[in-house]
Structures are given as C-alpha cells and as structure tokens.
Short mmCIF file of all heavy atoms in Angstrom, two decimals:
data_model
loop_
_atom_site.label_atom_id
_atom_site.label_comp_id
_atom_site.label_asym_id
_atom_site.label_seq_id
_atom_site.Cartn_x
_atom_site.Cartn_y
_atom_site.Cartn_z
N PHE A 306 105.97 97.87 93.86
CA PHE A 306 107.17 98.00 93.05
C PHE A 306 108.42 97.55 93.79
O PHE A 306 109.31 96.94 93.21
CB PHE A 306 107.34 99.44 92.58
CG PHE A 306 108.66 99.72 91.89
CD1 PHE A 306 108.89 99.22 90.59
CD2 PHE A 306 109.69 100.39 92.50
CE1 PHE A 306 110.09 99.43 89.96
CE2 PHE A 306 110.89 100.61 91.88
CZ PHE A 306 111.09 100.13 90.60
N TYR A 307 108.46 97.80 95.08
CA TYR A 307 109.64 97.41 95.87
C TYR A 307 109.87 95.90 95.81
O TYR A 307 111.00 95.44 95.75
CB TYR A 307 109.48 97.87 97.32
CG TYR A 307 110.77 97.95 98.09
CD1 TYR A 307 111.61 99.05 97.99
CD2 TYR A 307 111.15 96.87 98.93
CE1 TYR A 307 112.80 99.08 98.69
CE2 TYR A 307 112.34 96.95 99.63
CZ TYR A 307 113.16 98.04 99.51
OH TYR A 307 114.35 98.11 100.21
N GLN A 308 108.78 95.14 95.80
CA GLN A 308 108.87 93.68 95.71
C GLN A 308 109.04 93.18 94.29
O GLN A 308 109.70 92.17 94.05
CB GLN A 308 107.62 93.04 96.34
CG GLN A 308 107.37 93.42 97.78
CD GLN A 308 108.51 92.94 98.71
OE1 GLN A 308 109.08 91.88 98.48
NE2 GLN A 308 108.81 93.75 99.72
N LEU A 309 108.45 93.92 93.34
CA LEU A 309 108.49 93.46 91.95
C LEU A 309 109.80 93.80 91.22
O LEU A 309 110.14 93.15 90.22
CB LEU A 309 107.32 94.11 91.19
CG LEU A 309 105.90 93.68 91.58
CD1 LEU A 309 104.88 94.53 90.85
CD2 LEU A 309 105.69 92.21 91.26
N ALA A 310 110.49 94.82 91.69
CA ALA A 310 111.64 95.32 90.96
C ALA A 310 112.67 94.28 90.56
O ALA A 310 113.17 94.28 89.42
CB ALA A 310 112.33 96.44 91.77
N PRO A 311 113.00 93.32 91.43
CA PRO A 311 114.03 92.33 91.02
C PRO A 311 113.59 91.45 89.82
O PRO A 311 114.43 90.82 89.19
CB PRO A 311 114.19 91.45 92.29
CG PRO A 311 113.75 92.33 93.41
CD PRO A 311 112.65 93.16 92.85
N MET A 312 112.28 91.47 89.51
CA MET A 312 111.78 90.62 88.42
C MET A 312 111.56 91.41 87.13
O MET A 312 111.07 90.84 86.14
CB MET A 312 110.47 89.96 88.84
CG MET A 312 110.63 89.00 90.02
SD MET A 312 109.06 88.31 90.58
CE MET A 312 108.40 89.70 91.53
N LEU A 313 111.87 92.71 87.12
CA LEU A 313 111.53 93.57 86.00
C LEU A 313 112.78 93.99 85.24
O LEU A 313 113.87 94.15 85.84
CB LEU A 313 110.79 94.81 86.46
CG LEU A 313 109.44 94.60 87.16
CD1 LEU A 313 108.95 95.90 87.75
CD2 LEU A 313 108.42 94.05 86.16
N LYS A 314 112.64 94.24 83.95
CA LYS A 314 113.66 94.84 83.13
C LYS A 314 112.98 95.83 82.18
O LYS A 314 111.93 95.56 81.62
CB LYS A 314 114.44 93.80 82.31
CG LYS A 314 115.33 92.92 83.14
CD LYS A 314 116.42 93.71 83.86
CE LYS A 314 117.27 92.83 84.75
NZ LYS A 314 118.27 93.61 85.52
N ALA A 315 113.60 97.00 82.00
CA ALA A 315 113.03 98.04 81.14
C ALA A 315 114.15 98.99 80.71
O ALA A 315 115.27 98.91 81.23
CB ALA A 315 111.91 98.80 81.83
N ASP A 316 113.83 99.86 79.79
CA ASP A 316 114.80 100.88 79.34
C ASP A 316 114.91 102.02 80.33
O ASP A 316 115.95 102.58 80.54
CB ASP A 316 114.41 101.41 77.97
CG ASP A 316 114.46 100.33 76.91
OD1 ASP A 316 115.56 99.85 76.57
OD2 ASP A 316 113.36 99.95 76.40
N VAL A 317 113.73 102.38 80.94
CA VAL A 317 113.68 103.52 81.84
C VAL A 317 112.70 103.19 82.97
O VAL A 317 111.69 102.55 82.73
CB VAL A 317 113.19 104.80 81.12
CG1 VAL A 317 113.11 105.99 82.07
CG2 VAL A 317 114.13 105.15 79.96
N VAL A 318 113.03 103.66 84.18
CA VAL A 318 112.11 103.61 85.31
C VAL A 318 111.72 105.05 85.67
O VAL A 318 112.59 105.88 85.89
CB VAL A 318 112.71 102.91 86.51
CG1 VAL A 318 111.74 102.95 87.71
CG2 VAL A 318 113.07 101.48 86.21
N PHE A 319 110.42 105.28 85.74
CA PHE A 319 109.91 106.57 86.23
C PHE A 319 109.32 106.31 87.61
O PHE A 319 108.48 105.43 87.78
CB PHE A 319 108.84 107.13 85.28
CG PHE A 319 108.20 108.38 85.83
CD1 PHE A 319 108.77 109.60 85.62
CD2 PHE A 319 107.02 108.32 86.56
CE1 PHE A 319 108.19 110.78 86.14
CE2 PHE A 319 106.42 109.46 87.07
CZ PHE A 319 107.00 110.70 86.84
N MET A 320 109.75 107.14 88.57
CA MET A 320 109.29 106.94 89.95
C MET A 320 108.81 108.25 90.55
O MET A 320 109.45 109.29 90.42
CB MET A 320 110.42 106.45 90.84
CG MET A 320 110.92 105.05 90.52
SD MET A 320 111.89 104.43 91.94
CE MET A 320 113.15 105.68 92.09
N SER A 321 107.67 108.16 91.22
CA SER A 321 107.19 109.24 92.09
C SER A 321 106.58 108.58 93.31
O SER A 321 105.37 108.45 93.42
CB SER A 321 106.17 110.10 91.35
OG SER A 321 105.76 111.18 92.21
N PRO A 322 107.43 108.11 94.24
CA PRO A 322 106.92 107.40 95.41
C PRO A 322 106.07 108.31 96.30
O PRO A 322 106.08 109.53 96.13
CB PRO A 322 108.21 107.00 96.17
CG PRO A 322 109.32 107.17 95.19
CD PRO A 322 108.89 108.23 94.27
N PRO A 323 105.30 107.71 97.19
CA PRO A 323 104.49 108.57 98.10
C PRO A 323 105.31 109.58 98.84
O PRO A 323 106.38 109.24 99.39
CB PRO A 323 103.87 107.51 99.05
CG PRO A 323 103.90 106.24 98.32
CD PRO A 323 105.11 106.27 97.44
N TRP A 324 104.85 110.80 98.84
CA TRP A 324 105.56 111.89 99.52
C TRP A 324 105.06 112.14 100.95
O TRP A 324 105.65 112.91 101.68
CB TRP A 324 105.40 113.20 98.74
CG TRP A 324 105.95 113.17 97.34
CD1 TRP A 324 106.76 112.23 96.80
CD2 TRP A 324 105.72 114.12 96.31
NE1 TRP A 324 107.05 112.53 95.49
CE2 TRP A 324 106.43 113.68 95.17
CE3 TRP A 324 104.99 115.32 96.24
CZ2 TRP A 324 106.40 114.40 93.98
CZ3 TRP A 324 104.96 116.02 95.06
CH2 TRP A 324 105.67 115.57 93.93
N GLY A 325 103.94 111.50 101.29
CA GLY A 325 103.37 111.73 102.61
C GLY A 325 102.20 112.68 102.63
O GLY A 325 101.85 113.25 103.66
N GLY A 326 101.55 112.87 101.46
CA GLY A 326 100.38 113.77 101.42
C GLY A 326 100.82 115.24 101.34
O GLY A 326 102.00 115.55 101.34
N PRO A 327 99.84 116.15 101.26
CA PRO A 327 100.17 117.58 101.09
C PRO A 327 100.93 118.16 102.26
O PRO A 327 101.42 119.29 102.17
CB PRO A 327 98.79 118.22 100.93
CG PRO A 327 97.83 117.25 101.54
CD PRO A 327 98.39 115.89 101.31
N GLU A 328 101.07 117.43 103.35
CA GLU A 328 101.79 117.94 104.52
C GLU A 328 103.27 118.24 104.20
O GLU A 328 103.92 119.00 104.91
CB GLU A 328 101.70 116.96 105.68
CG GLU A 328 100.31 116.82 106.30
CD GLU A 328 99.37 115.96 105.49
OE1 GLU A 328 99.87 115.30 104.53
OE2 GLU A 328 98.17 115.97 105.76
N TYR A 329 103.79 117.59 103.12
CA TYR A 329 105.20 117.84 102.79
C TYR A 329 105.49 119.31 102.53
O TYR A 329 106.61 119.79 102.69
CB TYR A 329 105.60 116.99 101.58
CG TYR A 329 105.10 117.52 100.25
CD1 TYR A 329 105.82 118.44 99.51
CD2 TYR A 329 103.87 117.04 99.72
CE1 TYR A 329 105.34 118.89 98.28
CE2 TYR A 329 103.41 117.50 98.53
CZ TYR A 329 104.12 118.41 97.81
OH TYR A 329 103.65 118.88 96.60
N LEU A 330 104.45 120.05 102.12
CA LEU A 330 104.64 121.46 101.82
C LEU A 330 104.95 122.28 103.07
O LEU A 330 105.42 123.42 102.97
CB LEU A 330 103.38 122.01 101.14
CG LEU A 330 103.12 121.47 99.73
CD1 LEU A 330 101.75 121.92 99.25
CD2 LEU A 330 104.20 121.96 98.77
#
C-alpha cells in the first residue's frame, strides 16, 4: 500500500498496519 497509494483514489481508506505481533500488549 505504501507504494501503491499515489496511484489510488477512493472515498475512504481503512488502515490497520502491522502492529508488531501480540508483543504490543
């Protein structure tokens, strides 16, 4: 997505990027 974003257009973007695994807790 980081590379594709400049070529995309939409009404809404939903994002949930990698958090780093369950260790974030």
Side-chain angles (χ1 to χ4, degrees):
F306 172 73
Y307 198 82
Q308 300 298 324
L309 293 173
M312 298 176 281
L313 298 172
K314 290 298 177 184
D316 297 291
V317 179
V318 176
F319 175 85
M320 294 196 302
S321 182
W324 299 346
E328 290 79 12
Y329 75 88
L330 292 170

